[in-house]
Amino acid sequence: MTMTEQLHALGSILAQGSLHSLFQPIISLSERRILGYEALSRGPSNSPLHSPLALFCVARQAGRLNELEIACRQSACKRFSEQALPGKLFLNVSPESLLETTHQPGRTLQMLREYGIAPSQIVIELTEQAPTDDFQLLQTALHHYRDMGFSIALDDLGAGYSSLRLWSELRPDYVKIDRHFIDGIHQDALKREFVGSILQIAKASRAQVIAEGIELPEELAVLTEMGVDLIQGYLLCRPQEHPPIEARLMLAKPDSTSVSLNEDASDLSALLNEQPAVAQDTATAKVLEAFRSQANLNSLAVLDGRGQPIGIVHRHSLSDVLLKPFATDLFARKPISRLMSDDFLAVELSQSLQQVSRLLTSRARQRIEEDFIITQNGNYLGLGRVIDVLKLITELKIQQARYANPLTLLPGNVPIQQCLTRLLQQQRESVICYVDIDSFKPFNEMKGSVLRKNRQNDTPMFYLGFSGNEAELRAHLDDESVIDEENRT
């Protein structure tokens, strides 16, 4: 197809408004709900510019990129509004279009008014396809969007020309990790290190990480274990004109038959405190009285009319506000929604203790006295305490160290018997695999001799993976009967 024909096809698409808008959900694992949708544009199905790569490449070459992006934005807003899709709308914008002299500020805001979409629902997703030199001008443009109430996302982190500098300069609300680092992450330790570093930087910059391009259950499992909460990809849902509006339709139900030797329970029942909640229109004075009458009450969840949490009130935060001069008189009759915090963690009852622990540690502002909310299918059940999570995690680690084989770190007879007993009591249908490894005794003896040799040479032994400290390991090694007993087992 000649360049002239491509330009003609582009002109026809823009003149006729024949773009197609598809939507791909972005899901919050902790809340099991849809955070929002990324809008993706396509040309007409019978057009040589159906592919977005060809469509935007031709527009860039023709100097009509800004015009095309505005048309895509309008189509996405219209379809999003018509379907009344929940959550946020992620709109792709290239930095070069923002820096074009023909770019007209205010067009997007006018468009949102036309389709009845609140600015707080819009996330400007910055997609870097070409080098960006004028960071100051780009920062000014994005501050303009922020002032209008939009959020900012940085797309394809790790793939662009200067994405790390963009992150540092622009401080986005969301950061999307490039698909390259998600692909096969369960088989690539270096990719896991990269994603782990991104999570640490995001924690410091108070940005939320979105893992996009997830296609395999193994990838999702690793990302979940690492503490990634926001996910997107073909495994969950392909881009569609009419996407699902409920996350449960895309998330696999928790496997009620799975049993972990590392956890005492398959859900968070042990952490659940069935504390009462308050409605969002409850007077502040009534909430204050509840705290005064219950000395051990640290937090109260705030619910909407459907019984779903929309905020949380912490005792210390409420006290800090009401200690200010005239604050009690000013807020006493106001609804508690005025003083609640919407920066809260809500987890599903079916999630594991390890998952909740990672979510808590990934929250930069989480305080040990602040509670988190436990839900079931999005509905409020009760509260959980951070200190209880720490206690249970510590107990599990101690139990693992006590009963694990010091050489292989495999579970010993006690946790295996506990697991079998639990399965029998719960009458679960289960499969047990017994593996008999030939010549394992010489291998075990060789590892034992290596440990003893390293002890004599004062060589650090932590690389062997022992879960205790050095003193505990030396205590094991000083008792030759421990090694002999393990060899006989």
Side-chain angles (χ1 to χ4, degrees):
M1 188 179 188
T2 66
M3 188 61 186
T4 303
E5 292 173 329
Q6 290 178 340
L7 292 175
H8 178 73
L10 175 64
S12 298
I13 291 172
L14 292 174
Q16 298 170 13
S18 52
L19 291 165
H20 291 290
S21 293
L22 307 180
F23 300 95
Q24 188 173 37
I26 300 169
I27 297 174
S28 167
L29 286 172
S30 63
E31 299 179 29
R32 299 184 72 83
R33 69 176 179 88
I34 295 175
L35 170 75
Y37 300 83
E38 179 182 357
L40 303 164
S41 299
R42 303 285 187 270
S45 56
N46 59 348
S47 167
L49 299 183
H50 172 69
S51 163
L53 292 177
L55 180 64
F56 282 87
C57 180
V58 172
R60 186 173 287 107
Q61 292 174 351
R64 304 184 72 176
L65 179 62
N66 188 49
E67 188 180 351
L68 174 61
E69 288 198 1
I70 289 175
C72 291
R73 223 172 294 169
Q74 181 160 8
S75 174
C77 289
K78 181 181 179 182
R79 303 290 186 273
F80 185 84
S81 175
E82 288 174 347
Q83 298 183 58
L85 294 176
K88 299 180 181 292
L89 174 60
F90 285 67
L91 297 173
N92 288 293
V93 177
S94 60
E96 51 189 311
S97 72
L98 290 178
L99 302 179
E100 281 188 8
T101 55
T102 57
H103 179 74
Q104 299 178 16
R107 288 281 299 273
T108 303
L109 199 58
Q110 180 182 350
M111 194 183 302
L112 295 180
R113 292 195 191 100
E114 181 180 347
Y115 296 115
I117 301 174
S120 59
Q121 289 182 268
I122 298 298
V123 180
I124 299 298
E125 189 169 323
L126 209 59
T127 306
E128 189 186 21
Q129 301 294 337
T132 302
D133 298 321
D134 199 336
F135 286 93
Q136 185 60 47
L137 186 57
L138 181 59
Q139 197 170 35
T140 301
L142 288 178
H143 275 311
H144 172 72
Y145 278 117
R146 274 204 168 105
D147 290 341
M148 291 191 292
F150 301 163
S151 299
I152 306 298
L154 184 60
D155 193 19
D156 296 336
L157 182 74
Y161 297 90
S162 51
S163 53
L164 287 177
R165 182 176 174 182
L166 278 174
W167 189 354
S168 173
E169 296 278 352
L170 305 178
R171 303 296 174 94
D173 305 283
Y174 301 93
V175 174
K176 282 191 166 186
I177 303 176
D178 182 62
R179 161 70 187 149
H180 167 77
F181 298 98
I182 304 301
D183 183 19
I185 190 173
H186 58 293
Q187 298 173 325
D188 194 323
L190 186 58
K191 290 182 177 180
R192 293 195 292 274
E193 287 293 330
F194 178 85
V195 172
S197 300
I198 292 304
L199 289 171
Q200 289 298 318
I201 300 173
K203 179 180 178 181
S205 65
R206 298 173 67 179
Q208 296 188 66
V209 173
I210 301 174
E212 62 178 345
I214 301 172
E215 295 186 2
L216 300 175
E218 294 84 358
E219 294 169 354
L220 177 58
V222 168
L223 291 166
T224 303
E225 279 296 305
M226 294 182 70
V228 175
D229 183 45
L230 301 178
I231 56 173
Q232 176 183 359
Y234 282 7
L235 178 66
L236 305 161
C237 182
R238 289 176 175 268
Q240 300 176 15
E241 287 192 40
H242 302 282
I245 60 173
E246 291 188 33
R248 62 181 179 82
L249 299 176
M250 293 169 280
L251 291 173
K253 293 182 178 179
D255 186 0
S256 60
T257 64
S258 64
V259 177
S260 170
L261 291 171
N262 296 323
E263 298 182 28
D264 288 333
S266 58
D267 59 25
L268 303 179
S269 299
L271 296 174
L272 180 63
N273 297 310
E274 297 181 351
Q275 296 283 6
V278 295
Q280 58 185 339
D281 57 355
T282 303
T284 299
K286 188 173 181 179
V287 175
L288 184 60
E289 182 57 34
F291 281 117
R292 285 173 176 166
S293 61
Q294 301 179 60
N296 62 342
L297 183 63
N298 290 324
S299 306
L300 277 173
V302 182
L303 311 182
D304 62 13
R306 298 176 297 172
Q308 297 184 339
I310 58 171
I312 193 168
V313 183
H314 301 294
R315 176 188 289 270
H316 66 85
S317 300
L318 189 62
S319 298
D320 290 345
V321 172
L322 297 181
L323 281 174
K324 296 177 181 178
F326 312 111
T328 303
D329 293 334
L330 183 62
F331 290 108
R333 297 182 182 179
K334 297 293 170 64
I336 195 60
S337 57
R338 295 279 297 272
L339 297 179
M340 73 179 186
S341 170
D342 56 6
D343 179 22
F344 64 94
L345 176 65
V347 298
E348 278 286 308
L349 182 69
S350 57
Q351 288 187 261
S352 71
L353 183 62
Q354 269 74 8
Q355 290 173 334
V356 174
S357 174
R358 286 183 173 87
L359 289 171
L360 287 171
T361 54
S362 67
R363 289 171 59 83
R365 299 187 60 189
Q366 184 71 45
R367 298 167 55 156
I368 197 168
E369 69 269 25
E370 291 184 355
D371 298 332
F372 56 93
I373 294 174
I374 299 177
T375 62
Q376 189 168 38
N377 297 324
N379 294 317
Y380 175 77
L381 280 184
L383 297 175
R385 300 193 308 164
V386 176
I387 189 65
D388 289 340
V389 175
L390 297 177
K391 286 179 179 178
L392 280 178
I393 289 288
T394 302
E395 289 171 3
L396 287 173
K397 293 299 181 184
I398 292 174
Q399 184 179 6
Q400 290 171 12
R402 181 184 298 126
Y403 296 121
N405 183 311
L407 295 178
T408 66
L409 289 182
L410 294 173
N413 290 336
V414 172
I416 291 175
Q417 289 293 340
Q418 289 175 344
C419 176
L420 293 175
T421 301
R422 186 163 58 246
L423 287 172
L424 291 171
Q425 290 175 344
Q426 296 174 351
Q427 297 184 341
R428 290 185 179 181
E429 182 179 345
S430 308
V431 176
I432 299 172
C433 177
Y434 177 84
V435 180
D436 187 1
I437 303 176
D438 292 337
S439 303
F440 189 70
K441 184 175 184 291
F443 171 77
N444 227 10
E445 289 173 343
M446 181 186 70
K447 277 194 114 176
S449 66
V450 170
L451 285 172
R452 288 190 289 273
K453 184 177 180 181
N454 283 341
R455 177 187 59 173
Q456 295 167 358
N457 296 336
D458 257 352
T459 304
M461 293 166 285
F462 301 108
Y463 66 90
L464 290 170
F466 186 76
S467 60
N469 57 35
E470 186 174 0
E472 291 171 333
L473 182 55
R474 289 186 182 278
H476 277 294
L477 295 176
D478 287 336
D479 184 359
E480 295 296 329
S481 65
V482 173
I483 294 177
D484 293 341
E485 180 63 28
E486 293 300 337
N487 287 338
R488 285 195 293 274
T489 304

